[in-house]
Amino acid sequence: MTFRRQRAAIWVGLLTTGAALLIAGLLGASPGFGQSSRPPVYSLELSGDISPATASWVDKALGDAADQDAPLAIIRLDTPGGLDTSLRDIVKDILAAPMPVIVYVTPNGARAASAGVYITEAADVAAMAPQTNIGSASPISIGPGGESDVLDRKITNDAAAYIRALAAGHGRNPALAERMVRQAVNVTATEAKAAGLIDVIAPSEEALLRKVDGFRVQGPKAQTLHTAGLEISDHDMPLQYEVLQLLVNPTIAFLLLSVGLIGLAIEIFSPGLIAPGVLGLICFLLGLYGTAQLPVTAAGVLLLALAMGLFIAEAHFNSHGVLGFGGVVSLILSGLLLFNTNEGARVSVPVVVTAGLVMGGFFALLVQRAVAARRLPVQTGHEELVGAVAEVRVPPAPEGQVFTNGALWRARLSDGDGPLRAGDRVRVESVDGLTLLVRPEAGAESEQEEN
């Protein structure tokens, strides 16, 4: 009896242990228990001009991807180009990111022009949608007076070496990349893939992950990608970076500076309006912030100051519009020369010319009227009573009371005038403190209304 009980206890123990191991195995195999699924691929938007705003966004987004242990990051690129300093910041962030970074030129119809070429070649995987293009990476300066031949060659050679290093370092075609800098060559996605400038052509992000599964990354992050089954988490540019991108647009920054200076000048020459001063200060500070993010030329700043000085001078001196016209010309030239930016981040010429003509004329007119108003004689206080017609209420003997402008006043006759009676009309000749000096107004009709 004891033996049977021991054998039963052994079987129960074995069955219990087996069941526990089976359940543990099933729970361990489930992604919801005991084992977390792989983090999603971090996909971020990079569209529009390459500027300090987009550089800050890429830096933050790649930092967030690293914090989330993302196995891969995708930069969805569509850009006409932008600032050299900003593109180099983005390239450094891509190279320094701990995870592989795919730069994917998308959607169909998008382009990776100018600065976009460098960003694409800096990627661990360079990919494009079928109907996209890449190229035209020649450095262009929009500064005053252009560049000398020697300086132009230095800039071009530096850009060519930079793009060669990025392309060759990731196993791509450095010769074609260099031609995009020196000859502004532009190719389609199919041509770029055939020439070895990019690695993959894919119609969507999902198709892209399927195609790069098993892809061997070359360069500093050399590894084989395992992307099968990975989910994608899209991240568009937040509002704060979109606003910042708007402010660092050279055209917008120039307009904000101009409107701000005009508003402040109107407030200075016509104190008390408040609204022009408040709006002007806001616009000026926003324009100043945007300008601080961009390369500024001394010639542009001096021309902007000269334009404001000429508008003010036109309001004080009768130059028959010569000074005002000079101010408009200076304002337009300032807008064209204020920022030393390159292709994709230049000031819009039609906008600057139109804004210069409209705002210049508007500013000159308002300032001229404000100064003219300040030169008019004072029309408030007791002085406005001089010349007014009053009605006698208490005949002066030698002082009495008269009614004018809705109030009773002490009154005294001017020397040599005869006696007055209640109801007579008199005209105010002068004001002595709170006493009016009056004389009879023969035949004048009363202009007063009694309360």
Side-chain angles (χ1 to χ4, degrees):
M1 190 70 178
T2 303
F3 175 74
R4 289 180 180 179
R5 288 179 179 178
Q6 289 178 346
R7 187 171 60 179
I10 292 172
W11 279 106
V12 169
L14 291 175
L15 291 175
T16 303
T17 303
L21 291 174
L22 178 62
I23 294 173
L26 292 174
L27 291 178
S30 174
F33 297 90
Q35 177 180 336
S36 60
S37 61
R38 296 177 66 185
V41 173
Y42 197 104
S43 176
L44 62 106
E45 175 193 21
L46 178 55
S47 60
D49 294 341
I50 302 301
S51 66
T54 53
S56 298
W57 159 236
V58 171
D59 178 66
K60 178 183 183 302
L62 290 180
D64 291 343
D67 293 339
Q68 297 173 18
D69 294 324
L72 192 69
I74 299 176
I75 297 178
R76 292 173 275 126
L77 181 66
D78 180 12
T79 179
L83 298 177
D84 177 77
T85 53
S86 298
L87 85 85
R88 289 177 183 263
D89 288 340
I90 293 175
V91 166
K92 291 176 182 177
D93 288 333
I94 292 174
L95 298 177
M99 79 292 293
V101 177
I102 299 176
V103 172
Y104 179 35
V105 183
T106 188
N108 283 323
R111 57 178 169 166
S114 192
V117 180
Y118 300 84
I119 295 172
T120 303
E121 293 306 305
D124 299 295
V125 180
M128 297 178 69
Q131 299 176 32
T132 56
N133 63 284
I134 183 172
S136 301
S138 303
I140 298 176
S141 178
I142 311 298
E147 306 289 353
S148 67
D149 291 340
V150 174
L151 183 56
D152 183 67
R153 286 198 301 273
K154 287 183 177 180
I155 294 174
T156 302
N157 290 338
D158 175 71
Y162 191 43
I163 197 70
R164 279 201 318 271
L166 292 174
H170 293 88
R172 304 189 191 107
N173 188 338
L176 178 56
E178 183 175 359
R179 286 175 56 206
M180 290 181 172
V181 173
R182 297 190 181 277
Q183 302 172 23
V185 172
N186 205 306
V187 298
T188 65
T190 303
E191 294 168 339
K193 177 66 170 63
L197 187 71
I198 64 171
D199 305 308
V200 179
I201 295 179
S204 65
E205 288 183 280
E206 291 75 13
L208 174 63
L209 289 185
R210 289 195 297 270
K211 286 196 171 188
V212 299
D213 187 34
F215 179 84
R216 180 64 184 175
V217 173
Q218 300 186 47
K221 302 177 194 174
Q223 60 184 281
T224 300
L225 299 181
H226 302 285
T227 58
L230 289 179
E231 296 183 355
I232 300 173
S233 176
D234 287 338
H235 299 268
D236 293 335
M237 185 180 294
L239 178 61
Q240 66 184 92
Y241 292 99
E242 291 182 351
V243 173
L244 178 58
Q245 189 173 23
L246 182 66
L247 292 179
V248 299
N249 181 290
T251 301
I252 300 300
F254 167 73
L255 290 176
L256 287 173
L257 279 178
S258 301
V259 173
L261 289 174
I262 289 172
L264 292 174
I266 292 174
E267 186 65 32
I268 291 173
F269 284 98
S270 185
L273 294 179
I274 299 177
V278 172
L279 293 177
L281 182 59
I282 293 174
C283 290
F284 182 76
L285 291 177
L286 290 176
L288 198 63
Y289 177 80
T291 301
Q293 313 301 315
L294 297 167
V296 180
T297 67
V301 173
L302 293 176
L303 283 169
L304 183 61
L306 176 62
M308 297 301 107
L310 289 174
F311 288 142
I312 295 172
E314 175 65 28
H316 287 278
F317 303 102
N318 185 16
S319 67
H320 304 288
V322 174
L323 294 175
F325 177 76
V328 171
V329 173
S330 296
L331 188 62
I332 294 173
L333 292 176
S334 171
L336 299 177
L337 302 178
L338 185 59
F339 303 107
N340 186 18
T341 55
N342 54 12
E343 184 179 11
R346 64 180 65 184
V347 179
S348 172
V349 176
V351 170
V352 170
V353 172
T354 302
L357 292 174
V358 173
M359 291 191 297
F362 182 68
F363 175 81
L365 178 63
L366 287 182
V367 173
Q368 187 176 28
R369 288 188 174 182
V371 174
R374 292 184 63 189
R375 292 174 176 173
L376 292 176
V378 179
Q379 297 294 329
T380 58
H382 294 170
E383 290 79 1
E384 69 178 349
L385 295 173
V386 177
V389 175
E391 180 181 345
V392 176
R393 295 293 178 86
V394 178
E399 287 189 355
Q401 289 184 334
V402 297
F403 185 86
T404 184
N405 284 6
L408 283 172
W409 292 83
R410 288 201 306 263
R412 187 172 63 247
L413 278 171
S414 299
D415 294 339
D417 292 323
L420 296 174
R421 294 174 298 179
D424 285 347
R425 275 77 63 194
V426 294
R427 186 171 295 275
V428 180
E429 286 193 333
S430 62
V431 180
D432 182 14
L434 297 178
T435 302
L436 306 182
L437 300 180
V438 300
R439 61 178 174 79
E441 180 72 2
E445 296 182 0
S446 176
E447 300 177 4
Q448 311 303 318
E449 295 181 1
E450 298 186 19
N451 294 333

